[in-house]
Amino acid sequence: MFRLIQYEFIQRNMFHMTNDDLTPESPDTPGEEGVVAVRRAMRILEAFGVEDPHLSLAELSRRTGCHRSTVLRLARTLAMDDYLAQRPDGTWRLARAAGWLGACYQATFNIVEVVQPILRELSAATGESATFYVREGKQRICMARVEGPRSIRHHVRVGAALPLELGSPGRVLLAFSGEPGEPYESVRRAGYMVSLGERDPEVSSISAPVYGINWTLQGAVCISGPISRLGESVLHELKEPILAAASRLSRSLMGARQGQGA
């Protein structure tokens, strides 16, 4: 899809570069100039956010770092294929083709492909098992898991359904779904939860919420292991790794720029 858009932009823009386009990053050959035009056009599309139904030419120029004349030319090119549309007041908005790409992405997106690599890194960094849970009704479902490298560890199979109200992953899902009262108020303030022997007297864990587009709760990432090894003080030492993993997962699921700008 990107190469198709790139081809169209090269055809339409490689012989129409203005003086404004001759910045230090601009290459010398027509083909390379076309690639630069594509990248600038992508920056224009990325300038829109969930709270930006429309943007002025001046604001698009400010957000992309491109001259107004360049933004106007590229916006008009994007509008030719319905990626952008200009409103009667002169501002610009995303159009049908941009929405179709978003719908295709959502329809074909596989969350496990995004989650699994980060779980592997989290498990390698902590030496414990890392799991991603989602909420289904009154249960939490293990969607993805990487077993820790140690021979004595906590076991949960992918697809297993466990109670929401027992264990840190379920309580995190409840807390960030708006469950009132304690311990959920404290969990929301802290941004994570530690659990010791709640569901299984021999298991402890620490969990944090993971968000998607529009800050919709997607699940909870968890580090778990034997309580004999993961006491309360050790779990609190794992606060930074679990929050960092939750942040990376959230940025991956919602889009890096939205996550960084939030």
Side-chain angles (χ1 to χ4, degrees):
M1 181 62 71
F2 174 80
R3 292 191 178 278
L4 177 59
I5 298 173
Q6 181 185 50
Y7 175 78
E8 292 177 353
F9 266 84
I10 290 174
Q11 295 301 308
R12 291 174 180 167
N13 290 283
M14 65 188 296
F15 299 117
H16 299 283
M17 304 295 283
T18 67
N19 290 335
D20 290 335
D21 294 317
L22 299 179
T23 62
E25 69 176 76
S26 298
D28 297 328
T29 66
E32 290 176 341
E33 288 175 350
V35 173
V36 169
V38 173
R39 296 188 64 185
R40 287 174 174 165
M42 295 301 101
R43 292 213 301 269
I44 292 172
L45 295 177
E46 291 166 353
F48 291 87
V50 294
E51 297 181 356
D52 303 310
H54 48 85
L55 295 172
S56 67
L57 186 67
E59 182 61 16
L60 285 171
S61 175
R62 186 187 71 80
R63 294 189 182 190
T64 60
C66 296
H67 292 281
R68 291 194 191 189
S69 59
T70 300
V71 172
L72 179 60
R73 177 174 54 80
L74 292 176
R76 286 173 172 169
T77 304
L78 285 163
M80 291 173 67
D81 288 310
D82 289 330
Y83 286 96
L84 286 182
Q86 191 170 25
R87 290 157 44 95
D89 63 1
T91 60
W92 294 85
R93 63 172 177 83
L94 294 175
R96 177 194 58 80
W100 173 244
L101 287 181
C104 290
Y105 171 77
Q106 291 293 326
T108 59
F109 179 72
N110 184 345
I111 192 170
V112 175
E113 292 179 357
V114 174
V115 170
Q116 202 74 18
I118 296 176
L119 292 184
R120 280 196 293 269
E121 293 178 13
L122 181 60
S123 178
T126 62
E128 302 294 346
S129 299
T131 314
F132 181 74
Y133 290 94
V134 298
R135 179 176 183 174
E136 284 194 9
K138 296 183 178 180
Q139 296 180 313
R140 54 181 164 105
I141 308 298
C142 175
M143 287 292 292
R145 181 171 172 86
V146 172
E147 297 288 355
R150 306 190 186 195
S151 57
I152 299 176
R153 57 181 182 257
H154 170 226
H155 295 275
V156 176
R157 64 176 176 80
V158 172
L162 300 173
L164 274 176
E165 70 279 4
L166 295 175
S168 67
R171 289 196 181 274
V172 161
L173 291 171
L174 285 168
F176 291 93
S177 295
E179 191 75 12
E182 292 294 347
Y184 307 109
E185 296 290 349
S186 296
V187 173
R188 283 190 284 271
R189 285 195 298 269
Y192 69 99
M193 181 176 179
V194 163
S195 173
L196 296 154
E198 262 198 302
R199 186 184 65 83
D200 185 322
E202 297 182 356
V203 174
S204 60
S205 65
I206 181 171
S207 301
V210 174
Y211 294 93
I213 293 174
N214 296 341
W215 290 96
T216 303
L217 182 66
Q218 295 293 307
V221 62
C222 168
I223 299 169
S224 62
I227 199 169
S228 58
R229 190 166 65 231
L230 294 182
E232 186 171 4
S233 61
V234 175
L235 287 172
H236 282 293
E237 290 174 1
L238 296 176
K239 169 187 170 182
E240 294 305 322
I242 196 72
L243 290 178
S247 178
R248 287 186 59 203
L249 281 169
S250 296
R251 288 199 302 271
S252 297
L253 296 179
M254 69 172 60
R257 287 171 176 79
Q258 181 181 343
Q260 291 165 356

